[in-house]
Amino acid sequence: QITLKESGPTLVKPTQTLTVTCTFSGFSLSTSEVGVGWIRQPPGKALEWLALIFWNDDKRYSPSLKSRLTITKDTSKNQVVLTMTNMDPVDTATYYCAHTKPNYDILTGYYYNCRFDYWGQGTLVTVSS
Amino acid sequence: EIVLTQSPGTLSLSPGERATLSCRASQSVSSSYLAWYRLKPGQAPRLLIYGASSRATGIPDRFSGSGSGTDFTLTISRLEPEDFAVYYCQQYAGSPLTFGGGTKVEIK
């Protein structure tokens, strides 16, 4: 049974760096063609994809936020960590992590089929002074 | 970037009624890499449909997906109390991954 759980601060100040952690069970990020993504949802707004990390430590980021995001994994702890720098009140959102099983084209280096089949319940992060 | 537009924004229906939700893409979604999710407050989002029309594990058959190219539909044949929620479509054919703006299904 695959489960994921997000953890992190509930409140951060503007300009600070956010660090949120996804702790998962039921799969390993050392297994081929497995990935974990981060998605956020501001209050009353739509979902927004942020970042993906794959079993081979390859990473993908949302182009609009790429300069502020870093995603890492600790396979031994079954954790994925997302950091976001220079937080602003518009970054107030529920942050979700989710599991994906992509297909990987070794010739092109392209990851296909990145749907999110298991999600955590999310953690609400408020940015305010 | 593929932009997804969902309609209507809100659907007001009664339990037992049929719900039809639309998701339109700004360009063709190759291989029908289109998914639908249900979000309820305080719960983990749930994958309902992937590949435009395949039900995810454990999803009842009252949920069905259809469409290809740029036009996709999620149909809930008979609304159950737990189906009153917000639904999002997502395309995973191109990078970046994108979601639609959501459709809220509320009790009439």
Side-chain angles (χ1 to χ4, degrees), chain A residues 2 28-29 41 43 50 70 72 78-79 99 102 107 117 119 127:
Chain A
I2 290 176
S28 172
L29 253 181
Q41 183 180 32
L50 301 176
T70 303
T72 60
N78 280 352
Q79 290 182 332
H99 168 274
L107 293 178
D117 49 8
W119 296 60
V127 184

Side-chain angles (χ1 to χ4, degrees), chain A:
Chain A
Q1 179 190 3
I2 290 176
T3 64
L4 305 99
K5 186 172 184 178
E6 306 86 352
S7 59
T10 56
L11 180 67
V12 297
K13 289 180 167 41
T15 74
Q16 286 187 335
T17 293
L18 170 69
T19 298
V20 283
T21 300
C22 176
T23 303
F24 56 84
S25 64
F27 67 95
S28 172
L29 253 181
S30 59
T31 300
S32 183
E33 295 188 325
V34 172
V36 171
W38 283 95
I39 304 100
R40 71 178 179 179
Q41 183 180 32
K45 296 190 176 181
L47 296 169
E48 178 183 22
W49 169 68
L50 301 176
L52 271 167
I53 189 165
F54 300 103
W55 75 99
N56 56 6
D57 209 34
D58 205 355
K59 299 154 190 178
R60 296 290 184 268
Y61 296 101
S62 166
S64 62
L65 293 166
K66 185 175 182 178
S67 64
R68 299 174 53 206
L69 295 174
T70 303
I71 189 169
T72 60
K73 64 182 175 73
D74 186 330
T75 305
S76 65
K77 291 183 179 179
N78 280 352
Q79 290 182 332
V80 171
V81 176
L82 181 76
T83 61
M84 181 180 291
T85 60
N86 195 24
M87 293 291 283
D88 183 272
V90 300
D91 297 312
T92 294
T94 296
Y95 287 76
Y96 297 99
C97 62
H99 168 274
T100 183
K101 274 188 63 65
N103 302 118
Y104 179 56
D105 185 333
I106 195 168
L107 293 178
T108 63
Y110 196 75
Y111 297 88
Y112 295 88
N113 205 10
C114 292
R115 65 182 187 262
F116 298 110
D117 49 8
Y118 297 94
W119 296 60
Q121 288 194 321
T123 184
L124 175 62
V125 178
T126 301
V127 184
S128 175
S129 55

Side-chain angles (χ1 to χ4, degrees), chain B residues 27-41:
Chain B
Q27 55 189 277
S28 183
V29 177
S30 61
S31 303
S32 292
Y33 281 152
L34 192 288
W36 289 92
Y37 301 90
R38 180 176 69 186
L39 271 70
K40 301 196 71 170

Side-chain angles (χ1 to χ4, degrees), chain B residues 12-26:
Chain B
S12 298
L13 295 167
S14 300
E17 288 195 297
R18 181 185 189 91
T20 303
L21 289 66
S22 173
C23 177
R24 179 162 288 177
S26 60

Side-chain angles (χ1 to χ4, degrees), chain B residues 5-6 11 13 29 43 49 55 66 79 85-86:
Chain B
T5 303
Q6 291 188 240
L11 207 46
L13 295 167
V29 177
Q43 294 184 17
I49 300 288
R55 274 188 299 276
S66 62
L79 284 166
V86 182

